[in-house]
Amino acid sequence: MSRINNNVSSLIAQRVLSQNNKGMSKTLERLSTGLRVNRGSDDPAGLIASEKLRSEKTKISSALGNAERAEQVANIAEGGLQEISTLLTEVQSLVGQSASEGGLSTEEKEANQQQIDAILGAIDQIANTTSFQGTKLLNGNFDFKVESVAATVADFQINGAKIADGSSVAVQAIVTASAQHGGLFLSAGAAALNLTDADSRFTIEIAGTKGSRQFSFASGTALTDMRSAINNFKSVTGVSAAVNGTGLMLKSEGYGSAEFVSVDVIDDGGQAGGVHVLSSNNENSIRTAAVSAFSAVTAAIRDEGQDVGVIINGINARGKGTTATVANDALDLSITFTNSAASTLATVNALTITDGGAKFNIGPTVDIGNQVRLGLGNVAARKLGTEATGFLDALGSGKTANVVDGNLDSAQKIVDSAIDKVASLRGRIGAFQKFTVGAAINALGIALENTTSAESLIRDTDFAKETANLTRAQILVNASTSAVGMATQSSQSVLSLL
């Protein structure tokens, strides 16, 4: 059929040319932007998935930056503590030197004291100036805040806790096993020794965690005198004695499985009685069945103490003496109970943690599960030490543990506890860096790689594929253009009929 008013062939060719031009434009857009999905019409489902993945990438990147920042904060805090540790070692040396009174003049002691005073000032300065972007790290700013501390809690250390915003964490401790001394009971049957041979001696060797000592007593020696003799050397043996009825109760100075009392009978002298082991449930109860007659003791009889057994917030705590420790992602703390509380099976509402700690969000989502808190206590001289031993500022001039005329035995114990506290804090910071932050950085890095790969697979251009599409589109455009021209010319054939 030949007609001129409507050139259908041209219309078809024009429509196909328009489609081919759009296809080539789309391919050129993908090649120029590097993205397969530039708008929702390109791939609606792919756009939704890729936008979610982009959001996830942003979250992961922020968390990775937070973790790296946390590591920097920990590095600065640990650097300050390292210098304090060096200064404490120097104090320890000065205390040791000052203890040798026979070889030191008063002027030398005073010079040592001046050095200690300067060191105490330097420690306070480090505690007050160690900071990150103006935020002080070692002056107690990042210590945990507590309230309602029970009277039965002698001391506590909070290292970490997960606390939801606006809430608090109540710490409840259930004492399931009592802390006990190492202990033995020497039964004499009377208030004084009664040896069968008046010229013989009752000789025993008593040992504890600090050392051992041999004691010899004559017939007729009162138990009170034996007690005094043994207690005179408790700083040597670590064992103290108390009269209990017609015998002596020997106990280690400290509580826990690391403490012990050992008794070896060198010469019984014909003394009646024996060595009793104490009850495993009650250190003040004597197991009458577990007795070795003095004449039958051929090797030292030893009894070890028992660590306190505690459940803290549903978690079995690790006991050491009268101290219980839990360490998990939700709660990391240690509680030292008073001697009576550690020896009594009961429930103790120990304390409530209300806030505090250096809080870092090291996960992709902002919630308590991805938040960690690092407790950084005050390391000023007045805070280094323990309630039991005293604090480092006691070594200052004119105070009880100064090296000129103070108690040097107490001074050394204070410095030891201060060194332990700083070393423990440095260890916790190191563990936080290596395992908490380090593991988070590694995991977040892997997650970022995988998320980026998934997002790229959906959204990025496959250049090999699009280059082939471009070549095809160019050929089709050229062919369509030629077809339009041919369709336009075909109507001119009507003239030959006229």
Side-chain angles (χ1 to χ4, degrees):
M1 182 181 290
S2 298
R3 54 195 174 189
I4 60 174
N5 286 330
N6 293 292
N7 192 338
V8 177
S9 297
S10 177
L11 292 174
I12 294 172
Q14 290 178 51
R15 176 178 59 78
V16 173
L17 176 60
S18 176
Q19 290 176 347
N20 290 335
N21 277 326
K22 286 182 179 180
M24 187 170 68
S25 296
K26 181 67 66 180
T27 299
L28 287 172
E29 182 182 33
R30 288 173 175 172
L31 289 172
S32 60
T33 62
L35 297 175
R36 185 184 71 85
V37 181
N38 290 282
R39 54 183 58 84
S41 60
D42 293 339
D43 184 354
L47 178 70
I48 294 172
S50 64
E51 286 297 326
K52 287 185 176 180
L53 289 170
R54 278 188 172 184
S55 174
E56 191 68 21
K57 279 172 55 182
T58 302
K59 293 177 182 178
I60 294 173
S61 297
S62 297
L64 192 57
N66 290 341
E68 291 171 346
R69 183 67 63 89
E71 187 172 35
Q72 294 166 7
V73 171
N75 279 334
I76 293 174
E78 206 276 334
L81 291 171
Q82 183 178 13
E83 185 59 30
I84 290 176
S85 182
T86 301
L87 292 172
L88 289 174
T89 303
E90 183 63 27
V91 173
Q92 188 74 284
S93 174
L94 292 170
V95 171
Q97 292 174 22
S98 301
S100 183
E101 296 183 359
L104 287 179
S105 64
T106 302
E107 289 76 12
E108 287 177 299
K109 286 185 178 182
E110 291 175 347
N112 287 346
Q113 183 61 52
Q114 289 176 356
Q115 293 182 68
I116 290 175
D117 291 339
I119 290 173
L120 297 182
I123 289 174
D124 285 343
Q125 183 180 21
I126 293 171
N128 289 323
T129 58
T130 302
S131 61
F132 181 82
Q133 291 188 346
T135 302
K136 296 179 180 180
L137 304 178
L138 301 177
N139 69 340
N141 274 344
F142 290 134
D143 204 357
F144 282 93
K145 299 176 178 62
V146 300
E147 60 183 28
S148 303
V149 180
T152 52
V153 174
D155 198 4
F156 62 89
Q157 175 65 49
I158 304 172
N159 304 323
K162 284 189 180 296
I163 309 172
D165 292 339
S167 66
S168 59
V169 176
V171 178
Q172 184 185 72
I174 303 174
V175 180
T176 58
S178 61
Q180 296 184 19
H181 298 91
L184 295 170
F185 180 71
L186 306 183
S187 62
L193 294 179
N194 183 19
L195 307 183
T196 56
D197 184 356
D199 294 330
S200 62
R201 295 289 183 267
F202 178 69
T203 304
I204 57 175
E205 182 177 339
I206 296 175
T209 53
K210 293 183 179 180
S212 61
R213 188 79 181 184
Q214 192 174 98
F215 299 91
S216 293
F217 303 102
S219 183
T221 302
L223 294 180
T224 53
D225 293 332
M226 294 176 64
R227 175 198 62 194
S228 299
I230 294 171
N231 286 340
N232 285 338
F233 290 92
K234 65 182 179 182
S235 61
V236 176
T237 62
V239 177
S240 61
V243 176
N244 187 335
T246 58
L248 284 179
M249 185 75 78
L250 303 179
K251 289 186 179 180
S252 60
E253 288 195 294
Y255 288 84
S257 58
E259 300 286 335
F260 73 93
V261 172
S262 171
V263 172
D264 190 10
V265 179
I266 308 301
D267 185 357
D268 66 294
Q271 174 64 41
V275 182
H276 294 257
V277 178
L278 305 182
S279 170
S280 58
N281 296 322
N282 183 356
E283 65 177 21
N284 295 314
S285 176
I286 301 167
R287 293 168 59 187
T288 56
V291 59
S292 298
F294 291 134
S295 59
V297 176
T298 57
I301 298 174
R302 173 182 169 127
D303 181 70
E304 296 175 348
Q306 177 175 288
D307 297 317
V308 66
V310 182
I311 297 175
I312 297 179
N313 286 15
I315 305 297
N316 279 324
R318 177 174 56 87
K320 183 180 180 182
T322 59
T323 300
T325 302
V326 292
N328 54 50
D329 62 330
L331 189 62
D332 184 351
L333 59 75
S334 62
I335 299 175
T336 301
F337 298 93
T338 60
N339 294 344
S340 60
S343 303
T344 304
L345 306 186
T347 298
V348 178
N349 294 318
L351 51 88
T352 300
I353 307 171
T354 58
D355 199 5
K359 183 172 72 173
F360 303 101
N361 198 91
I362 58 174
T365 57
V366 180
D367 56 37
I368 191 171
N370 287 308
Q371 290 176 357
V372 293
R373 295 180 184 242
L374 175 65
L376 297 173
N378 192 339
V379 294
R382 66 184 182 280
K383 295 293 185 179
L384 289 178
T386 64
E387 292 287 348
T389 61
F391 295 94
L392 192 64
D393 62 340
L395 274 72
S397 292
K399 296 189 177 180
T400 57
N402 74 84
V403 298
V404 177
D405 55 8
N407 187 332
L408 295 185
D409 182 48
S410 175
Q412 189 174 61
K413 291 179 180 178
I414 291 172
V415 178
D416 284 340
S417 64
I419 290 174
D420 289 344
K421 186 170 185 177
V422 171
S424 176
L425 182 53
R426 291 181 65 188
R428 284 198 295 106
I429 292 175
F432 175 79
Q433 287 181 280
K434 183 175 182 180
F435 298 110
T436 303
V437 176
I441 289 174
N442 293 337
L444 290 169
I446 295 171
L448 183 60
E449 293 170 10
N450 293 334
T451 306
T452 302
S453 176
E455 192 260 343
S456 175
L457 186 64
I458 296 172
R459 197 153 192 165
D460 287 350
T461 296
D462 183 341
F463 273 77
K465 179 180 178 180
E466 292 301 330
T467 302
N469 289 340
L470 177 63
T471 301
R472 175 178 175 275
Q474 287 174 329
I475 295 172
L476 290 173
V477 166
N478 290 333
S480 300
T481 303
S482 298
V484 171
M486 292 171 63
T488 301
Q489 292 175 358
S490 65
S491 61
Q492 295 178 3
S493 63
V494 175
L495 293 176
S496 63
L497 298 177
L498 298 175

